[in-house]
Amino acid sequence: MKNLFSIYTLVVLSLISLLFNSEKALAQGCVAIKGNASTCMAIHADSSNVSSWQFASSARYFKSFRHFSGTVENTDRLKQQTEVINYTSVINLSLTRIINNRWSVMVDLPVSNNVRSSLYEHGLVNGAYIKKERHTTGSFGIGDIRFAAYRWLLDPIKNTKGNVQLGLGIKLPTGDYNYKDYWYNVGVNGTKELRTVDQSIQLGDGGTGFTVELNTFYNFKHNFGVYGNLYYLMNPREQNGTRTYRETLSRFLANEAIMSVPDQYMVRGGFNYSFNHIKGLSVAAGARLEGIPVHDLVGRSGDFRRPGYIWSVEPSVNYEYKKLVVFASVPFALLRNRTQSVTDIENSAIRGIHVQGDAAFADYTVNLGIATRF
């Protein structure tokens, strides 16, 4: 019922946001990829030089619960009912000013609601359970706002079959990256304490970041073509000063006491097809890769992060009616990999054994979107 209620809430909020104003998403689970990447719902270059506005609302929901270390799933976590479960719902609201047929600027605001259910955060002290009970923590609020400028690199009037769009942006640390909720059974007397929630459900990452995007398409026929999107967020800041409390779980986690500010990325591409007999309807299918790298492009990569990536197959459908576009996609995970972090590598050297943490991933995500031009 919780899953159905969350999906229903996302649909209602998306419709409400559209009504009051006349695709943005990354993925899944304990790998803390925030919802501020851009994916075009209907990527094409406009040959008109008439300026206009576009408002878009996209929603994403997933439940992560399958634990992976590397590409190997720890199925015992489900059998023993010790898995960590994240329920994540994100609404992205974006407003774009289309200046002419080459240039546009955009502002994007994510709003997220997260619930995290776990055992180990509520009673495990120095490696031993004081009381073994499952409890939840949560977070709700705005995330990190992003501004971006876009330019079609080829003249849309002369290049109607294909084009490439470049986007450059800045992400501001507007989301709370020290969000707190109650942890239970963390004292010797089974008391509760207000602590920071896990990195995967923090609303922001605490860093000022810079984004690079490439969006491209090519039409072999008027109703059949290929598309591609690339997004990379570069976060120069190493750590944000937020305590993880992981050092209270084991003495071997002392170097994971503070949260890292990681880069993130997304790449997707595939084929799209428009139906001749159903005006405005198109479908697409492709591959999607998204993740957190082990090492950032700029700056150090220490402290606590869960690096990893997800390969998914992504079917989607678009419907366009006049100035309104409705979008839906459901990426299904094919490969999930929780890679070895910098602190895992450091712990491996200190302890003389291979250390590699795990992370919980979802089987699929649900993405819904609505956009209108005015």
Side-chain angles (χ1 to χ4, degrees):
M1 291 299 294
K2 182 185 292 185
N3 296 12
L4 293 175
F5 178 76
S6 298
I7 295 173
Y8 174 78
T9 302
L10 289 177
V11 175
V12 171
L13 287 177
S14 292
L15 292 172
I16 290 174
S17 65
L18 175 65
L19 293 174
F20 273 97
N21 286 273
S22 147
E23 160 135 8
K24 318 277 183 218
L26 282 178
Q28 313 171 357
C30 289
V31 177
I33 307 171
K34 305 303 177 185
N36 48 30
S38 176
T39 57
C40 293
M41 292 195 297
I43 180 168
H44 59 82
D46 196 335
S47 60
S48 171
N49 269 308
V50 178
S51 59
S52 62
W53 292 92
Q54 178 175 292
F55 172 78
S57 173
S58 63
R60 182 174 88 258
Y61 168 81
F62 64 82
K63 170 191 172 183
S64 64
F65 64 100
R66 295 191 185 277
H67 285 257
F68 285 80
S69 181
T71 58
V72 178
E73 182 181 0
N74 185 353
T75 56
D76 287 341
R77 296 290 294 270
L78 293 177
K79 295 176 183 178
Q80 298 167 4
Q81 297 184 329
T82 62
E83 78 277 14
V84 175
I85 307 171
N86 279 9
Y87 300 93
T88 295
S89 307
V90 182
I91 298 285
N92 277 82
L93 307 174
S94 67
L95 184 64
T96 301
R97 176 61 173 176
I98 301 171
I99 300 171
N100 53 41
N101 65 355
R102 301 290 286 268
W103 285 96
S104 60
V105 292
M106 182 273 298
V107 57
D108 176 75
L109 171 67
V111 181
S112 64
N113 179 53
N114 309 284
V115 176
R116 178 178 175 86
S117 171
S118 74
L119 282 171
Y120 82 89
E121 291 165 329
H122 306 283
L124 185 64
V125 179
N126 294 325
Y129 277 108
I130 294 176
K131 185 181 291 186
K132 196 170 185 178
E133 292 180 345
R134 180 176 289 272
H135 290 278
T136 62
T137 52
S139 61
F140 174 80
I142 66 170
D144 291 344
I145 295 175
R146 187 169 66 92
F147 299 89
Y150 299 90
R151 175 179 168 84
W152 289 103
L153 301 184
L154 304 177
D155 187 345
I157 297 176
K158 298 178 181 179
N159 300 272
T160 57
K161 295 188 67 174
N163 213 325
V164 179
Q165 185 186 57
L166 173 66
L168 299 175
I170 183 170
K171 179 194 68 67
L172 303 178
T174 54
D176 191 348
Y177 53 92
N178 193 25
Y179 199 100
K180 294 181 174 66
D181 201 352
Y182 283 101
W183 292 31
Y184 292 83
N185 306 320
V186 292
V188 292
N189 297 319
T191 55
K192 66 180 181 179
E193 184 178 321
L194 191 63
R195 294 183 174 184
T196 52
V197 298
D198 186 78
Q199 186 181 48
S200 62
I201 64 170
Q202 288 290 337
L203 301 176
D205 59 28
T208 298
F210 304 93
T211 61
V212 178
E213 297 173 72
L214 281 176
N215 302 307
T216 185
F217 72 97
Y218 185 82
N219 294 321
F220 300 105
K221 298 173 63 176
H222 73 280
N223 66 336
F224 178 73
V226 294
Y227 67 90
N229 309 113
L230 180 147
Y231 170 90
Y232 195 93
L233 167 63
M234 180 177 64
N235 267 321
R237 188 177 185 182
E238 181 182 11
Q239 52 106 328
N240 58 23
T242 299
R243 187 180 176 187
T244 67
Y245 291 90
R246 292 180 64 81
E247 77 282 1
T248 67
L249 304 177
S250 169
R251 61 187 179 88
F252 296 113
L253 299 178
N255 55 354
E256 295 187 347
I258 304 297
M259 293 185 189
S260 177
V261 184
D263 290 0
Q264 66 184 50
Y265 60 87
M266 186 271 293
V267 181
R268 62 195 290 267
F271 298 89
N272 52 44
Y273 175 80
S274 300
F275 293 91
N276 291 326
H277 58 289
I278 307 178
K279 186 177 180 180
L281 180 64
S282 63
V283 294
R288 180 184 183 112
L289 169 66
E290 49 200 331
I292 297 287
V294 178
H295 298 280
D296 293 342
L297 286 181
V298 177
R300 295 171 57 115
S301 309
D303 301 285
F304 177 64
R305 71 172 68 184
R306 296 184 184 96
Y309 58 85
I310 309 105
W311 275 103
S312 303
V313 58
E314 182 180 22
S316 61
V317 59
N318 287 342
Y319 182 72
E320 186 171 356
Y321 179 75
K322 295 182 179 179
K323 295 183 178 181
L324 181 69
V325 178
V326 180
F327 164 87
S329 77
V330 184
F332 292 90
L334 297 179
L335 175 66
R336 288 155 282 195
N337 189 349
R338 200 303 201 170
T339 51
Q340 194 179 30
S341 68
V342 169
T343 50
D344 286 338
I345 297 171
E346 292 173 353
N347 274 328
S348 296
I350 294 171
R351 299 173 61 182
I353 59 174
H354 180 81
V355 176
Q356 186 165 352
D358 73 347
F361 293 86
D363 285 337
Y364 62 89
T365 64
V366 178
N367 301 301
L368 306 172
I370 301 176
T372 185
R373 184 177 292 193
F374 54 92

